[in-house]
Amino acid sequence: MTIAPEATNEAAAQATQAAEQQQRDGQEGPAFILYMGGSEYDDALHRLALWVRHLLLPVYGREVTSAAPWCTSWWKHPEAVAQLYGLWMAWHELTGPDAPATGPATWHRDHLGHVMNSLRDPSGPFAGCKAGTHRAKEAPGMDPYPG
């Protein structure tokens, strides 16, 4: 399988541009997506979706089974968005032009497997989703805090 370099380069270029804009805006580093709202969130999710579609899934997406579910509408699962965004942030830090030569190996060892295993776990965020069908996960309840 061949990944179109222009697709990967486009996703990486957009992410780099966003990070540079955040630095110009005085932010220390890229903001985590769960702290974003409105158009900032929409832009970040769009960049993440490009990376998932053009790099993550073609290279690392394994076959969908009941033991390894995947939701084609993953962006509707906040847990998946948070985990994939963290994976994407690590990707840029560890594979970018200023990354050490061992960066890609570190990304594979420390980030990729854990996130993909967590997302694709039969009891993970996609547990209720079937091929081509999204089902929202019900979050556990919580009694009112007594304090």
Side-chain angles (χ1 to χ4, degrees):
M1 168 188 25
T2 303
I3 305 295
E6 59 276 1
T8 303
N9 291 342
E10 177 185 340
Q14 288 182 352
T16 301
Q17 185 179 25
E20 289 170 354
Q21 181 63 46
Q22 287 174 333
Q23 285 179 337
R24 286 192 295 274
D25 293 344
Q27 293 180 3
E28 236 350 84
F32 188 57
I33 196 164
L34 295 183
Y35 298 125
M36 298 176 190
S39 65
E40 182 184 26
Y41 178 87
D42 293 340
D43 291 344
L45 191 56
H46 175 74
R47 289 189 305 274
L48 176 61
L50 287 172
W51 181 77
V52 169
R53 175 181 297 276
H54 295 291
L55 188 129
L56 185 68
L57 291 179
V59 177
Y60 303 104
R62 297 180 181 165
E63 187 172 353
V64 175
T65 67
S66 59
W70 179 261
C71 183
T72 56
S73 297
W74 57 264
W75 56 88
K76 295 178 181 177
H77 298 270
E79 178 183 353
V81 169
Q83 288 198 46
L84 288 168
Y85 197 81
L87 186 63
W88 180 68
M89 292 173 78
W91 167 266
H92 287 289
E93 182 176 315
L94 294 169
T95 66
D98 297 327
T102 57
T106 301
W107 183 80
H108 285 96
R109 182 194 68 207
D110 294 347
H111 303 282
L112 176 66
H114 175 73
V115 169
M116 294 303 279
N117 289 338
S118 175
L119 290 176
R120 307 224 31 213
D121 185 278
S123 63
F126 305 142
C129 300
K130 305 294 180 226
T133 306
H134 164 75
R135 188 183 132 247
K137 180 179 113 177
E138 289 187 36
M142 180 178 153
D143 291 335
Y145 180 71

PDB file of all heavy atoms in Angstrom, residues 59-94:
ATOM      1  N   VAL A  59      -2.298   3.504   7.104  1.00  0.00           N
ATOM      2  CA  VAL A  59      -1.075   2.827   7.543  1.00  0.00           C
ATOM      3  C   VAL A  59      -1.336   1.909   8.735  1.00  0.00           C
ATOM      4  O   VAL A  59      -0.839   0.785   8.777  1.00  0.00           O
ATOM      5  CB  VAL A  59       0.024   3.857   7.900  1.00  0.00           C
ATOM      6  CG1 VAL A  59       1.273   3.163   8.433  1.00  0.00           C
ATOM      7  CG2 VAL A  59       0.371   4.707   6.686  1.00  0.00           C
ATOM      8  N   TYR A  60      -2.131   2.363   9.708  1.00  0.00           N
ATOM      9  CA  TYR A  60      -2.257   1.648  10.977  1.00  0.00           C
ATOM     10  C   TYR A  60      -3.654   1.100  11.251  1.00  0.00           C
ATOM     11  O   TYR A  60      -3.865   0.445  12.266  1.00  0.00           O
ATOM     12  CB  TYR A  60      -1.845   2.556  12.140  1.00  0.00           C
ATOM     13  CG  TYR A  60      -0.446   3.087  11.995  1.00  0.00           C
ATOM     14  CD1 TYR A  60      -0.206   4.397  11.604  1.00  0.00           C
ATOM     15  CD2 TYR A  60       0.647   2.256  12.233  1.00  0.00           C
ATOM     16  CE1 TYR A  60       1.080   4.878  11.471  1.00  0.00           C
ATOM     17  CE2 TYR A  60       1.936   2.729  12.100  1.00  0.00           C
ATOM     18  CZ  TYR A  60       2.148   4.046  11.717  1.00  0.00           C
ATOM     19  OH  TYR A  60       3.419   4.501  11.577  1.00  0.00           O
ATOM     20  N   GLY A  61      -4.607   1.363  10.377  1.00  0.00           N
ATOM     21  CA  GLY A  61      -5.958   0.874  10.596  1.00  0.00           C
ATOM     22  C   GLY A  61      -6.062  -0.586  10.232  1.00  0.00           C
ATOM     23  O   GLY A  61      -5.890  -0.967   9.077  1.00  0.00           O
ATOM     24  N   ARG A  62      -6.332  -1.396  11.201  1.00  0.00           N
ATOM     25  CA  ARG A  62      -6.472  -2.834  10.961  1.00  0.00           C
ATOM     26  C   ARG A  62      -7.924  -3.180  10.731  1.00  0.00           C
ATOM     27  O   ARG A  62      -8.817  -2.374  10.967  1.00  0.00           O
ATOM     28  CB  ARG A  62      -5.904  -3.607  12.141  1.00  0.00           C
ATOM     29  CG  ARG A  62      -4.408  -3.347  12.282  1.00  0.00           C
ATOM     30  CD  ARG A  62      -3.805  -4.083  13.423  1.00  0.00           C
ATOM     31  NE  ARG A  62      -2.374  -3.761  13.514  1.00  0.00           N
ATOM     32  CZ  ARG A  62      -1.646  -4.027  14.565  1.00  0.00           C
ATOM     33  NH1 ARG A  62      -2.178  -4.592  15.622  1.00  0.00           N
ATOM     34  NH2 ARG A  62      -0.369  -3.712  14.566  1.00  0.00           N
ATOM     35  N   GLU A  63      -8.155  -4.394  10.289  1.00  0.00           N
ATOM     36  CA  GLU A  63      -9.506  -4.836   9.961  1.00  0.00           C
ATOM     37  C   GLU A  63     -10.441  -4.677  11.154  1.00  0.00           C
ATOM     38  O   GLU A  63     -10.070  -4.912  12.298  1.00  0.00           O
ATOM     39  CB  GLU A  63      -9.472  -6.292   9.516  1.00  0.00           C
ATOM     40  CG  GLU A  63     -10.798  -6.787   8.997  1.00  0.00           C
ATOM     41  CD  GLU A  63     -10.706  -8.171   8.389  1.00  0.00           C
ATOM     42  OE1 GLU A  63      -9.584  -8.703   8.258  1.00  0.00           O
ATOM     43  OE2 GLU A  63     -11.762  -8.719   8.050  1.00  0.00           O
ATOM     44  N   VAL A  64     -11.662  -4.280  10.868  1.00  0.00           N
ATOM     45  CA  VAL A  64     -12.680  -4.114  11.896  1.00  0.00           C
ATOM     46  C   VAL A  64     -13.317  -5.463  12.181  1.00  0.00           C
ATOM     47  O   VAL A  64     -13.727  -6.180  11.265  1.00  0.00           O
ATOM     48  CB  VAL A  64     -13.756  -3.094  11.444  1.00  0.00           C
ATOM     49  CG1 VAL A  64     -14.878  -3.001  12.462  1.00  0.00           C
ATOM     50  CG2 VAL A  64     -13.119  -1.730  11.203  1.00  0.00           C
ATOM     51  N   THR A  65     -13.358  -5.825  13.444  1.00  0.00           N
ATOM     52  CA  THR A  65     -14.022  -7.051  13.888  1.00  0.00           C
ATOM     53  C   THR A  65     -14.771  -6.723  15.171  1.00  0.00           C
ATOM     54  O   THR A  65     -14.623  -5.639  15.728  1.00  0.00           O
ATOM     55  CB  THR A  65     -13.002  -8.176  14.183  1.00  0.00           C
ATOM     56  OG1 THR A  65     -12.221  -7.800  15.331  1.00  0.00           O
ATOM     57  CG2 THR A  65     -12.090  -8.444  12.993  1.00  0.00           C
ATOM     58  N   SER A  66     -15.550  -7.677  15.677  1.00  0.00           N
ATOM     59  CA  SER A  66     -16.225  -7.440  16.951  1.00  0.00           C
ATOM     60  C   SER A  66     -15.213  -7.335  18.090  1.00  0.00           C
ATOM     61  O   SER A  66     -15.476  -6.695  19.104  1.00  0.00           O
ATOM     62  CB  SER A  66     -17.233  -8.553  17.245  1.00  0.00           C
ATOM     63  OG  SER A  66     -16.585  -9.808  17.286  1.00  0.00           O
ATOM     64  N   ALA A  67     -14.041  -7.914  17.910  1.00  0.00           N
ATOM     65  CA  ALA A  67     -12.981  -7.826  18.916  1.00  0.00           C
ATOM     66  C   ALA A  67     -12.151  -6.556  18.764  1.00  0.00           C
ATOM     67  O   ALA A  67     -11.378  -6.210  19.654  1.00  0.00           O
ATOM     68  CB  ALA A  67     -12.076  -9.044  18.836  1.00  0.00           C
ATOM     69  N   ALA A  68     -12.312  -5.848  17.644  1.00  0.00           N
ATOM     70  CA  ALA A  68     -11.574  -4.604  17.393  1.00  0.00           C
ATOM     71  C   ALA A  68     -12.486  -3.652  16.622  1.00  0.00           C
ATOM     72  O   ALA A  68     -12.308  -3.422  15.425  1.00  0.00           O
ATOM     73  CB  ALA A  68     -10.295  -4.894  16.611  1.00  0.00           C
ATOM     74  N   PRO A  69     -13.508  -3.099  17.303  1.00  0.00           N
ATOM     75  CA  PRO A  69     -14.453  -2.221  16.612  1.00  0.00           C
ATOM     76  C   PRO A  69     -13.829  -0.891  16.202  1.00  0.00           C
ATOM     77  O   PRO A  69     -12.814  -0.464  16.752  1.00  0.00           O
ATOM     78  CB  PRO A  69     -15.560  -2.019  17.646  1.00  0.00           C
ATOM     79  CG  PRO A  69     -14.890  -2.225  18.961  1.00  0.00           C
ATOM     80  CD  PRO A  69     -13.817  -3.244  18.722  1.00  0.00           C
ATOM     81  N   TRP A  70     -14.450  -0.254  15.224  1.00  0.00           N
ATOM     82  CA  TRP A  70     -14.065   1.089  14.791  1.00  0.00           C
ATOM     83  C   TRP A  70     -15.341   1.790  14.361  1.00  0.00           C
ATOM     84  O   TRP A  70     -16.206   1.181  13.721  1.00  0.00           O
ATOM     85  CB  TRP A  70     -13.085   1.043  13.619  1.00  0.00           C
ATOM     86  CG  TRP A  70     -12.702   2.422  13.149  1.00  0.00           C
ATOM     87  CD1 TRP A  70     -13.232   3.107  12.078  1.00  0.00           C
ATOM     88  CD2 TRP A  70     -11.747   3.295  13.745  1.00  0.00           C
ATOM     89  NE1 TRP A  70     -12.652   4.339  11.978  1.00  0.00           N
ATOM     90  CE2 TRP A  70     -11.730   4.487  13.002  1.00  0.00           C
ATOM     91  CE3 TRP A  70     -10.905   3.185  14.855  1.00  0.00           C
ATOM     92  CZ2 TRP A  70     -10.908   5.557  13.307  1.00  0.00           C
ATOM     93  CZ3 TRP A  70     -10.086   4.254  15.156  1.00  0.00           C
ATOM     94  CH2 TRP A  70     -10.080   5.422  14.389  1.00  0.00           C
ATOM     95  N   CYS A  71     -15.463   3.043  14.696  1.00  0.00           N
ATOM     96  CA  CYS A  71     -16.633   3.815  14.276  1.00  0.00           C
ATOM     97  C   CYS A  71     -16.216   4.746  13.144  1.00  0.00           C
ATOM     98  O   CYS A  71     -15.277   5.533  13.300  1.00  0.00           O
ATOM     99  CB  CYS A  71     -17.205   4.620  15.441  1.00  0.00           C
ATOM    100  SG  CYS A  71     -18.709   5.529  14.997  1.00  0.00           S
ATOM    101  N   THR A  72     -16.900   4.651  12.015  1.00  0.00           N
ATOM    102  CA  THR A  72     -16.579   5.517  10.882  1.00  0.00           C
ATOM    103  C   THR A  72     -16.952   6.969  11.180  1.00  0.00           C
ATOM    104  O   THR A  72     -16.530   7.872  10.455  1.00  0.00           O
ATOM    105  CB  THR A  72     -17.283   5.031   9.601  1.00  0.00           C
ATOM    106  OG1 THR A  72     -18.688   4.961   9.838  1.00  0.00           O
ATOM    107  CG2 THR A  72     -16.761   3.657   9.193  1.00  0.00           C
ATOM    108  N   SER A  73     -17.720   7.197  12.229  1.00  0.00           N
ATOM    109  CA  SER A  73     -18.034   8.555  12.701  1.00  0.00           C
ATOM    110  C   SER A  73     -17.327   8.798  14.039  1.00  0.00           C
ATOM    111  O   SER A  73     -17.908   9.290  15.001  1.00  0.00           O
ATOM    112  CB  SER A  73     -19.550   8.727  12.865  1.00  0.00           C
ATOM    113  OG  SER A  73     -20.216   8.589  11.642  1.00  0.00           O
ATOM    114  N   TRP A  74     -16.048   8.485  14.106  1.00  0.00           N
ATOM    115  CA  TRP A  74     -15.274   8.557  15.346  1.00  0.00           C
ATOM    116  C   TRP A  74     -15.323   9.936  15.989  1.00  0.00           C
ATOM    117  O   TRP A  74     -15.215  10.070  17.202  1.00  0.00           O
ATOM    118  CB  TRP A  74     -13.826   8.109  15.105  1.00  0.00           C
ATOM    119  CG  TRP A  74     -13.121   8.894  14.037  1.00  0.00           C
ATOM    120  CD1 TRP A  74     -12.995   8.546  12.727  1.00  0.00           C
ATOM    121  CD2 TRP A  74     -12.489  10.166  14.178  1.00  0.00           C
ATOM    122  NE1 TRP A  74     -12.319   9.527  12.040  1.00  0.00           N
ATOM    123  CE2 TRP A  74     -11.996  10.532  12.914  1.00  0.00           C
ATOM    124  CE3 TRP A  74     -12.286  11.034  15.246  1.00  0.00           C
ATOM    125  CZ2 TRP A  74     -11.312  11.726  12.690  1.00  0.00           C
ATOM    126  CZ3 TRP A  74     -11.611  12.227  15.031  1.00  0.00           C
ATOM    127  CH2 TRP A  74     -11.123  12.558  13.763  1.00  0.00           C
ATOM    128  N   TRP A  75     -15.496  10.998  15.193  1.00  0.00           N
ATOM    129  CA  TRP A  75     -15.509  12.368  15.714  1.00  0.00           C
ATOM    130  C   TRP A  75     -16.733  12.638  16.582  1.00  0.00           C
ATOM    131  O   TRP A  75     -16.802  13.657  17.261  1.00  0.00           O
ATOM    132  CB  TRP A  75     -15.423  13.385  14.579  1.00  0.00           C
ATOM    133  CG  TRP A  75     -16.510  13.198  13.564  1.00  0.00           C
ATOM    134  CD1 TRP A  75     -17.765  13.750  13.581  1.00  0.00           C
ATOM    135  CD2 TRP A  75     -16.449  12.382  12.404  1.00  0.00           C
ATOM    136  NE1 TRP A  75     -18.490  13.324  12.501  1.00  0.00           N
ATOM    137  CE2 TRP A  75     -17.705  12.474  11.755  1.00  0.00           C
ATOM    138  CE3 TRP A  75     -15.472  11.573  11.838  1.00  0.00           C
ATOM    139  CZ2 TRP A  75     -17.994  11.797  10.579  1.00  0.00           C
ATOM    140  CZ3 TRP A  75     -15.767  10.895  10.674  1.00  0.00           C
ATOM    141  CH2 TRP A  75     -17.009  11.018  10.052  1.00  0.00           C
ATOM    142  N   LYS A  76     -17.697  11.729  16.593  1.00  0.00           N
ATOM    143  CA  LYS A  76     -18.878  11.868  17.458  1.00  0.00           C
ATOM    144  C   LYS A  76     -18.637  11.280  18.846  1.00  0.00           C
ATOM    145  O   LYS A  76     -19.517  11.340  19.700  1.00  0.00           O
ATOM    146  CB  LYS A  76     -20.083  11.180  16.810  1.00  0.00           C
ATOM    147  CG  LYS A  76     -20.524  11.825  15.512  1.00  0.00           C
ATOM    148  CD  LYS A  76     -21.686  11.078  14.894  1.00  0.00           C
ATOM    149  CE  LYS A  76     -22.120  11.717  13.585  1.00  0.00           C
ATOM    150  NZ  LYS A  76     -23.216  10.941  12.945  1.00  0.00           N
ATOM    151  N   HIS A  77     -17.468  10.724  19.066  1.00  0.00           N
ATOM    152  CA  HIS A  77     -17.088  10.132  20.354  1.00  0.00           C
ATOM    153  C   HIS A  77     -16.020  11.029  20.999  1.00  0.00           C
ATOM    154  O   HIS A  77     -14.865  11.005  20.570  1.00  0.00           O
ATOM    155  CB  HIS A  77     -16.514   8.729  20.161  1.00  0.00           C
ATOM    156  CG  HIS A  77     -17.469   7.750  19.564  1.00  0.00           C
ATOM    157  ND1 HIS A  77     -18.305   6.967  20.339  1.00  0.00           N
ATOM    158  CD2 HIS A  77     -17.717   7.416  18.273  1.00  0.00           C
ATOM    159  CE1 HIS A  77     -19.026   6.187  19.550  1.00  0.00           C
ATOM    160  NE2 HIS A  77     -18.696   6.443  18.289  1.00  0.00           N
ATOM    161  N   PRO A  78     -16.377  11.811  22.016  1.00  0.00           N
ATOM    162  CA  PRO A  78     -15.388  12.710  22.634  1.00  0.00           C
ATOM    163  C   PRO A  78     -14.124  11.998  23.110  1.00  0.00           C
ATOM    164  O   PRO A  78     -13.024  12.542  22.981  1.00  0.00           O
ATOM    165  CB  PRO A  78     -16.156  13.326  23.810  1.00  0.00           C
ATOM    166  CG  PRO A  78     -17.588  13.243  23.397  1.00  0.00           C
ATOM    167  CD  PRO A  78     -17.709  11.974  22.603  1.00  0.00           C
ATOM    168  N   GLU A  79     -14.251  10.780  23.630  1.00  0.00           N
ATOM    169  CA  GLU A  79     -13.067  10.052  24.075  1.00  0.00           C
ATOM    170  C   GLU A  79     -12.137   9.761  22.896  1.00  0.00           C
ATOM    171  O   GLU A  79     -10.914   9.901  23.003  1.00  0.00           O
ATOM    172  CB  GLU A  79     -13.458   8.742  24.760  1.00  0.00           C
ATOM    173  CG  GLU A  79     -12.249   7.933  25.199  1.00  0.00           C
ATOM    174  CD  GLU A  79     -12.604   6.593  25.822  1.00  0.00           C
ATOM    175  OE1 GLU A  79     -13.799   6.315  26.040  1.00  0.00           O
ATOM    176  OE2 GLU A  79     -11.663   5.817  26.077  1.00  0.00           O
ATOM    177  N   ALA A  80     -12.714   9.367  21.773  1.00  0.00           N
ATOM    178  CA  ALA A  80     -11.903   9.082  20.589  1.00  0.00           C
ATOM    179  C   ALA A  80     -11.219  10.349  20.088  1.00  0.00           C
ATOM    180  O   ALA A  80     -10.035  10.329  19.739  1.00  0.00           O
ATOM    181  CB  ALA A  80     -12.759   8.465  19.484  1.00  0.00           C
ATOM    182  N   VAL A  81     -11.949  11.452  20.066  1.00  0.00           N
ATOM    183  CA  VAL A  81     -11.362  12.723  19.628  1.00  0.00           C
ATOM    184  C   VAL A  81     -10.184  13.076  20.531  1.00  0.00           C
ATOM    185  O   VAL A  81      -9.101  13.432  20.048  1.00  0.00           O
ATOM    186  CB  VAL A  81     -12.418  13.847  19.627  1.00  0.00           C
ATOM    187  CG1 VAL A  81     -11.766  15.211  19.426  1.00  0.00           C
ATOM    188  CG2 VAL A  81     -13.470  13.587  18.549  1.00  0.00           C
ATOM    189  N   ALA A  82     -10.374  12.964  21.837  1.00  0.00           N
ATOM    190  CA  ALA A  82      -9.307  13.319  22.773  1.00  0.00           C
ATOM    191  C   ALA A  82      -8.088  12.424  22.582  1.00  0.00           C
ATOM    192  O   ALA A  82      -6.947  12.917  22.516  1.00  0.00           O
ATOM    193  CB  ALA A  82      -9.823  13.220  24.208  1.00  0.00           C
ATOM    194  N   GLN A  83      -8.311  11.118  22.483  1.00  0.00           N
ATOM    195  CA  GLN A  83      -7.171  10.211  22.334  1.00  0.00           C
ATOM    196  C   GLN A  83      -6.473  10.386  20.986  1.00  0.00           C
ATOM    197  O   GLN A  83      -5.241  10.405  20.918  1.00  0.00           O
ATOM    198  CB  GLN A  83      -7.620   8.763  22.516  1.00  0.00           C
ATOM    199  CG  GLN A  83      -7.963   8.443  23.961  1.00  0.00           C
ATOM    200  CD  GLN A  83      -7.967   6.957  24.212  1.00  0.00           C
ATOM    201  OE1 GLN A  83      -7.056   6.239  23.803  1.00  0.00           O
ATOM    202  NE2 GLN A  83      -8.995   6.498  24.902  1.00  0.00           N
ATOM    203  N   LEU A  84      -7.236  10.512  19.923  1.00  0.00           N
ATOM    204  CA  LEU A  84      -6.628  10.687  18.600  1.00  0.00           C
ATOM    205  C   LEU A  84      -5.896  12.018  18.496  1.00  0.00           C
ATOM    206  O   LEU A  84      -4.835  12.112  17.877  1.00  0.00           O
ATOM    207  CB  LEU A  84      -7.684  10.561  17.502  1.00  0.00           C
ATOM    208  CG  LEU A  84      -8.205   9.145  17.274  1.00  0.00           C
ATOM    209  CD1 LEU A  84      -9.437   9.158  16.380  1.00  0.00           C
ATOM    210  CD2 LEU A  84      -7.117   8.246  16.690  1.00  0.00           C
ATOM    211  N   TYR A  85      -6.445  13.055  19.115  1.00  0.00           N
ATOM    212  CA  TYR A  85      -5.770  14.355  19.072  1.00  0.00           C
ATOM    213  C   TYR A  85      -4.434  14.300  19.818  1.00  0.00           C
ATOM    214  O   TYR A  85      -3.424  14.827  19.347  1.00  0.00           O
ATOM    215  CB  TYR A  85      -6.674  15.443  19.654  1.00  0.00           C
ATOM    216  CG  TYR A  85      -6.230  16.830  19.266  1.00  0.00           C
ATOM    217  CD1 TYR A  85      -6.558  17.352  18.018  1.00  0.00           C
ATOM    218  CD2 TYR A  85      -5.492  17.616  20.126  1.00  0.00           C
ATOM    219  CE1 TYR A  85      -6.152  18.622  17.649  1.00  0.00           C
ATOM    220  CE2 TYR A  85      -5.089  18.894  19.768  1.00  0.00           C
ATOM    221  CZ  TYR A  85      -5.421  19.393  18.532  1.00  0.00           C
ATOM    222  OH  TYR A  85      -5.011  20.654  18.163  1.00  0.00           O
ATOM    223  N   GLY A  86      -4.437  13.626  20.971  1.00  0.00           N
ATOM    224  CA  GLY A  86      -3.176  13.450  21.695  1.00  0.00           C
ATOM    225  C   GLY A  86      -2.171  12.659  20.871  1.00  0.00           C
ATOM    226  O   GLY A  86      -0.975  12.983  20.830  1.00  0.00           O
ATOM    227  N   LEU A  87      -2.637  11.629  20.184  1.00  0.00           N
ATOM    228  CA  LEU A  87      -1.767  10.829  19.317  1.00  0.00           C
ATOM    229  C   LEU A  87      -1.219  11.685  18.184  1.00  0.00           C
ATOM    230  O   LEU A  87      -0.037  11.605  17.839  1.00  0.00           O
ATOM    231  CB  LEU A  87      -2.558   9.639  18.770  1.00  0.00           C
ATOM    232  CG  LEU A  87      -1.803   8.606  17.952  1.00  0.00           C
ATOM    233  CD1 LEU A  87      -0.741   7.909  18.796  1.00  0.00           C
ATOM    234  CD2 LEU A  87      -2.782   7.584  17.380  1.00  0.00           C
ATOM    235  N   TRP A  88      -2.082  12.521  17.625  1.00  0.00           N
ATOM    236  CA  TRP A  88      -1.692  13.414  16.527  1.00  0.00           C
ATOM    237  C   TRP A  88      -0.664  14.446  17.003  1.00  0.00           C
ATOM    238  O   TRP A  88       0.312  14.731  16.302  1.00  0.00           O
ATOM    239  CB  TRP A  88      -2.947  14.080  15.994  1.00  0.00           C
ATOM    240  CG  TRP A  88      -2.781  15.031  14.874  1.00  0.00           C
ATOM    241  CD1 TRP A  88      -2.405  14.748  13.598  1.00  0.00           C
ATOM    242  CD2 TRP A  88      -3.007  16.431  14.908  1.00  0.00           C
ATOM    243  NE1 TRP A  88      -2.398  15.898  12.838  1.00  0.00           N
ATOM    244  CE2 TRP A  88      -2.769  16.947  13.632  1.00  0.00           C
ATOM    245  CE3 TRP A  88      -3.415  17.312  15.916  1.00  0.00           C
ATOM    246  CZ2 TRP A  88      -2.902  18.294  13.323  1.00  0.00           C
ATOM    247  CZ3 TRP A  88      -3.556  18.646  15.612  1.00  0.00           C
ATOM    248  CH2 TRP A  88      -3.291  19.125  14.311  1.00  0.00           C
ATOM    249  N   MET A  89      -0.878  14.998  18.208  1.00  0.00           N
ATOM    250  CA  MET A  89       0.089  15.964  18.751  1.00  0.00           C
ATOM    251  C   MET A  89       1.456  15.313  18.935  1.00  0.00           C
ATOM    252  O   MET A  89       2.485  15.902  18.589  1.00  0.00           O
ATOM    253  CB  MET A  89      -0.421  16.531  20.078  1.00  0.00           C
ATOM    254  CG  MET A  89      -1.645  17.418  19.941  1.00  0.00           C
ATOM    255  SD  MET A  89      -2.339  17.909  21.546  1.00  0.00           S
ATOM    256  CE  MET A  89      -1.180  19.197  22.012  1.00  0.00           C
ATOM    257  N   ALA A  90       1.453  14.090  19.475  1.00  0.00           N
ATOM    258  CA  ALA A  90       2.719  13.372  19.650  1.00  0.00           C
ATOM    259  C   ALA A  90       3.370  13.068  18.310  1.00  0.00           C
ATOM    260  O   ALA A  90       4.601  13.139  18.172  1.00  0.00           O
ATOM    261  CB  ALA A  90       2.476  12.076  20.444  1.00  0.00           C
ATOM    262  N   TRP A  91       2.546  12.743  17.305  1.00  0.00           N
ATOM    263  CA  TRP A  91       3.066  12.478  15.959  1.00  0.00           C
ATOM    264  C   TRP A  91       3.864  13.677  15.460  1.00  0.00           C
ATOM    265  O   TRP A  91       4.977  13.535  14.958  1.00  0.00           O
ATOM    266  CB  TRP A  91       1.906  12.158  15.011  1.00  0.00           C
ATOM    267  CG  TRP A  91       2.284  12.176  13.559  1.00  0.00           C
ATOM    268  CD1 TRP A  91       2.174  13.222  12.691  1.00  0.00           C
ATOM    269  CD2 TRP A  91       2.853  11.103  12.806  1.00  0.00           C
ATOM    270  NE1 TRP A  91       2.630  12.856  11.448  1.00  0.00           N
ATOM    271  CE2 TRP A  91       3.051  11.565  11.488  1.00  0.00           C
ATOM    272  CE3 TRP A  91       3.198   9.795  13.127  1.00  0.00           C
ATOM    273  CZ2 TRP A  91       3.581  10.766  10.498  1.00  0.00           C
ATOM    274  CZ3 TRP A  91       3.730   9.005  12.126  1.00  0.00           C
ATOM    275  CH2 TRP A  91       3.919   9.490  10.836  1.00  0.00           C
ATOM    276  N   HIS A  92       3.284  14.863  15.597  1.00  0.00           N
ATOM    277  CA  HIS A  92       3.958  16.056  15.099  1.00  0.00           C
ATOM    278  C   HIS A  92       5.226  16.362  15.871  1.00  0.00           C
ATOM    279  O   HIS A  92       6.235  16.750  15.285  1.00  0.00           O
ATOM    280  CB  HIS A  92       3.008  17.253  15.099  1.00  0.00           C
ATOM    281  CG  HIS A  92       2.002  17.140  14.011  1.00  0.00           C
ATOM    282  ND1 HIS A  92       2.310  17.289  12.683  1.00  0.00           N
ATOM    283  CD2 HIS A  92       0.687  16.839  14.040  1.00  0.00           C
ATOM    284  CE1 HIS A  92       1.240  17.097  11.949  1.00  0.00           C
ATOM    285  NE2 HIS A  92       0.238  16.809  12.749  1.00  0.00           N
ATOM    286  N   GLU A  93       5.180  16.162  17.171  1.00  0.00           N
ATOM    287  CA  GLU A  93       6.366  16.431  17.976  1.00  0.00           C
ATOM    288  C   GLU A  93       7.489  15.444  17.682  1.00  0.00           C
ATOM    289  O   GLU A  93       8.663  15.814  17.648  1.00  0.00           O
ATOM    290  CB  GLU A  93       6.016  16.375  19.463  1.00  0.00           C
ATOM    291  CG  GLU A  93       7.198  16.685  20.355  1.00  0.00           C
ATOM    292  CD  GLU A  93       6.804  16.727  21.813  1.00  0.00           C
ATOM    293  OE1 GLU A  93       5.778  17.332  22.138  1.00  0.00           O
ATOM    294  OE2 GLU A  93       7.542  16.139  22.618  1.00  0.00           O
ATOM    295  N   LEU A  94       7.127  14.192  17.434  1.00  0.00           N
ATOM    296  CA  LEU A  94       8.137  13.145  17.311  1.00  0.00           C
ATOM    297  C   LEU A  94       8.513  12.779  15.881  1.00  0.00           C
ATOM    298  O   LEU A  94       9.434  11.985  15.677  1.00  0.00           O
ATOM    299  CB  LEU A  94       7.672  11.892  18.061  1.00  0.00           C
ATOM    300  CG  LEU A  94       7.576  12.086  19.572  1.00  0.00           C
ATOM    301  CD1 LEU A  94       6.867  10.910  20.225  1.00  0.00           C
ATOM    302  CD2 LEU A  94       8.963  12.287  20.174  1.00  0.00           C
TER     303      LEU A  94
END
